[in-house]
Amino acid sequence: MVLDRPAEPLRQTELPVPTPRPGQLLVRVHACAVCRTDLHIVAGELPHPKLPLVLGHQIVGTVVDEDRRVGIPWLAWTDGDCRFCRSGRENLCDRARFTGYDVDGGFAEYTVVDEHFCLPLPDGYSALEAAPLLCAGLIGYRSLRLAGDGERIGLYGFGASAHIVAQVARHEGRRVFAFTRPGDEEGQAFARDLGAAWAGGSDQRPPEELDAAIIFAPVGELVPLALGALAKGGTVACAGIHMSDIPAFSYELLWGERVLRSVANLTRRDGEEFLALAPRVPVRTSVSRFPLEQANAALEHLRAGELRGAAVLDVLTS
């Protein structure tokens, strides 16, 4: 499923099986989860993608001619030598390349990956169940770590990432406060089913001040709302790669040593830590299955907020 130009539907076509270069692996794709970043690329909100492009960066597959299952995440390559890479911040590498953006991804039957940037997957997860762990889970995990150790965690936008990170937070003894679109009673019930102490609309104030908040929805208007719900010394982490403009707000919302920060990409260490933790929680992913040829429908369901958990393309059986 190929993106030729932004703002156009993906095109179903036949491509040659890619040829791996030295240091790369050829992978038969089994499943690929659909991410909000894919929506931003299709909409033209992220500049300069490779075109034509095969989207998809939450890939589960097997290495061709090997009995080895691997996960392929967003981070596809870094130079390993810049000041960011040498200080353990390869997610900020200026020369980094990203799966399904700079290089072709997993909305296809085959893909290639740098052998140093794929991840071993835990046992006990099918391909469909494991796929959302590779971005929704990883960016949620990194966001939770950067948000600090607070006990009362607000999650704004209860979709693929939030439904995973809520389970991690509960495992760590934290209390989760879930914020959905106003009136989304089904989404709020889903959050409570996953152990949220409270769930309501993003236009509501939680019953207690929050120690931290993570904003998964790409809506800048949520930033002052989250800051307004935050206790002194707390952190608001913006987890998305793209967000609408943040409106002006009073300095009083930030004062009291509150912190507003972004979360950018991920590191291989994030992947190793989270994928080791997931089966211990254990994280259970809620997925809606779509055959590969229905990738456009999956994107539309995600755009409309009609999914409970994550959309996953079932590539192997399509």
Side-chain angles (χ1 to χ4, degrees), residues 73-110:
W74 172 243
L75 187 67
W77 179 86
T78 63
D79 63 26
D81 190 51
C82 68
R83 64 190 183 97
F84 295 115
C85 288
R86 286 186 281 106
S87 60
R89 297 177 293 166
E90 65 182 7
N91 58 305
L92 302 180
C93 176
D94 287 329
R95 297 179 61 206
R97 304 182 76 193
F98 301 102
T99 309
Y101 184 63
D102 299 302
V103 300
D104 284 335
F107 286 18
E109 293 172 315
Y110 290 90

Side-chain angles (χ1 to χ4, degrees), residues 9-10 22 32 38 42 77 95 101 115 132 142 156 160 172 178 187 230 233 255 261 264 291 294 299:
L10 306 186
C32 185
D38 299 318
V42 171
W77 179 86
R95 297 179 61 206
Y101 184 63
E115 61 184 339
R142 182 172 182 85
Y156 285 79
E172 295 176 346
L230 207 63
W255 191 77
R261 68 172 304 152
Q294 292 183 15
L299 288 165

Side-chain angles (χ1 to χ4, degrees), residues 67-249:
D67 184 22
R68 177 160 55 117
R69 190 170 78 148
V70 295
I72 303 176
W74 172 243
L75 187 67
W77 179 86
T78 63
D79 63 26
D81 190 51
C82 68
R83 64 190 183 97
F84 295 115
C85 288
R86 286 186 281 106
S87 60
R89 297 177 293 166
E90 65 182 7
N91 58 305
L92 302 180
C93 176
D94 287 329
R95 297 179 61 206
R97 304 182 76 193
F98 301 102
T99 309
Y101 184 63
D102 299 302
V103 300
D104 284 335
F107 286 18
E109 293 172 315
Y110 290 90
T111 192
V112 293
V113 61
D114 186 303
E115 61 184 339
H116 299 296
F117 286 84
C118 56
L119 297 167
L121 293 170
D123 295 331
Y125 292 91
S126 69
L128 294 178
E129 293 167 337
L133 301 177
L134 291 161
C135 184
L138 289 183
I139 200 67
Y141 174 78
R142 182 172 182 85
S143 300
L144 187 64
R145 292 289 164 265
L146 294 180
D149 297 326
E151 188 255 339
R152 299 166 297 182
I153 306 295
L155 304 178
Y156 285 79
F158 205 84
S161 284
H163 98 282
I164 292 173
V165 78
Q167 297 174 61
V168 176
R170 291 283 298 122
H171 174 73
E172 295 176 346
R174 311 189 197 208
R175 287 188 293 146
V176 171
F177 297 76
F179 298 82
T180 70
R181 296 180 183 186
D184 183 5
E185 295 183 2
E186 183 178 351
Q188 293 161 23
F190 181 38
R192 286 190 287 268
D193 287 345
L194 290 173
W198 175 89
S202 59
D203 56 344
Q204 297 178 259
R205 289 187 68 90
E208 303 176 41
E209 288 186 317
L210 304 174
D211 298 310
I214 304 172
I215 301 178
F216 292 111
V219 181
E221 288 84 355
L222 293 175
V223 170
L225 293 177
L227 284 169
L230 207 63
K232 289 184 288 187
T235 297
V236 172
C238 301
I241 195 171
H242 173 82
M243 179 179 274
S244 61
D245 288 346
I246 300 171
F249 57 85

Side-chain angles (χ1 to χ4, degrees), residues 32-54:
C32 185
V34 181
C35 180
R36 187 163 294 278
T37 298
D38 299 318
L39 283 181
H40 294 314
I41 296 170
V42 171
E45 293 167 334
L46 298 183
H48 313 307
K50 167 194 170 301
L51 291 174
L53 173 68
V54 179

